[in-house]
Amino acid sequence: MNTKDRQFGKEDMLLVVDVQKDFCPGGTLPIERGDEVVPLINRWMRSALDAGVPIYLSRDWHPRHHLSFKKNGGQWPPHCVQDSDGARFHAALEVPIEAEIVTKGTRFDQDQNSVFDQTGLACWLHKLGIKRIFVCGLALDVCVLASVLDGLEAEFEILVIKGATRPITPEGGRNALEKMREAGAVVLEV
Ligand code: VGL
Ligand code: ZN
């Protein structure tokens, strides 16, 4: 893939996964240096706006007693509880009025790590003629990974903006990148 192919075109879109307060330092499920993605993502969103490329931001948005929380048999501390302060986007994230918000993780009976899991997003993006998705956000080894794999499954080309993601664990991050590459995603070393 040459440099020109990495520039935004008319069949592209930008997906920003779960850049919420609870996933940043000070939150309830803090990712080390998770907040560092914010200025980078702001730049990517400005370029997308300039190029007329649609922007979608997902948010993890759990019921108070979600099954992914430890006390309910899940793996995580409580996080991104609907309407809580921690569920807000990071305060410095410049969410454009033109952006669409994708809400996920609302089911009582299942986790929904992928933005494509029962949201109708893939169908909608195909209708818009989107072919290629630039992906960034949190966490690289959980919701970014699940979304990238599902996006490929739904026959989109996926470019991962590596520098604008952070993993929950370094090892998880390395494994996630390997899985994404194996599945056909292009990892941009930016
Ligand atoms: C996420 C853990 C639990 C994520 C969501 O957005 O990556 N991680 N819920
Ligand atoms: Zn969650």
Side-chain angles (χ1 to χ4, degrees), residues 29 54 117 136:
L29 206 174
D117 187 0
C136 56

Side-chain angles (χ1 to χ4, degrees), residues 17-20 23 29 31 58-60 62 66 68-69 75-77 79-80 104 111-113 137-145 166 168:
V17 177
D18 299 2
V19 182
Q20 290 163 275
F23 295 129
L29 206 174
I31 295 163
S58 68
R59 59 178 186 178
D60 214 28
H62 295 312
H66 194 243
S68 78
F69 301 167
Q75 179 181 5
W76 308 114
H79 63 278
C80 299
K104 65 179 185 61
D111 211 348
Q112 289 162 281
N113 285 333
L138 304 171
L140 176 61
D141 42 353
V142 184
C143 288
V144 173
L145 173 62
R166 289 289 182 279
I168 291 182

Side-chain angles (χ1 to χ4, degrees), residues 39-163:
L40 296 166
I41 293 176
N42 284 340
R43 281 211 290 281
W44 278 90
M45 291 197 293
R46 280 196 293 274
S47 315
L49 281 178
D50 288 346
V53 162
I55 302 170
Y56 286 70
L57 296 101
S58 68
R59 59 178 186 178
D60 214 28
W61 196 251
H62 295 312
R64 193 160 304 282
H65 303 290
H66 194 243
L67 52 60
S68 78
F69 301 167
K70 278 180 192 147
K71 62 178 189 301
N72 305 312
Q75 179 181 5
W76 308 114
H79 63 278
C80 299
V81 169
Q82 293 170 12
D83 287 318
S84 67
D85 185 58
R88 291 175 188 269
F89 289 125
H90 189 284
L93 193 69
E94 294 162 6
V95 181
I97 192 75
E98 295 88 345
E100 295 267 16
I101 311 299
V102 185
T103 299
K104 65 179 185 61
T106 59
R107 289 193 62 126
F108 286 92
D109 59 339
Q110 291 169 18
D111 211 348
Q112 289 162 281
N113 285 333
S114 161
V115 302
F116 296 106
D117 187 0
Q118 306 169 83
T119 58
L121 182 62
C123 178
W124 173 242
L125 296 178
H126 283 309
K127 252 185 217 163
L128 292 182
I130 300 298
K131 299 273 191 297
R132 205 165 67 144
I133 307 178
F134 288 70
V135 184
C136 56
L138 304 171
L140 176 61
D141 42 353
V142 184
C143 288
V144 173
L145 173 62
S147 301
V148 165
L149 297 180
D150 272 2
L152 291 164
E153 195 73 31
E155 297 189 343
F156 296 103
E157 280 177 61
I158 306 279
L159 284 73
V160 182
I161 310 168
K162 185 176 147 189

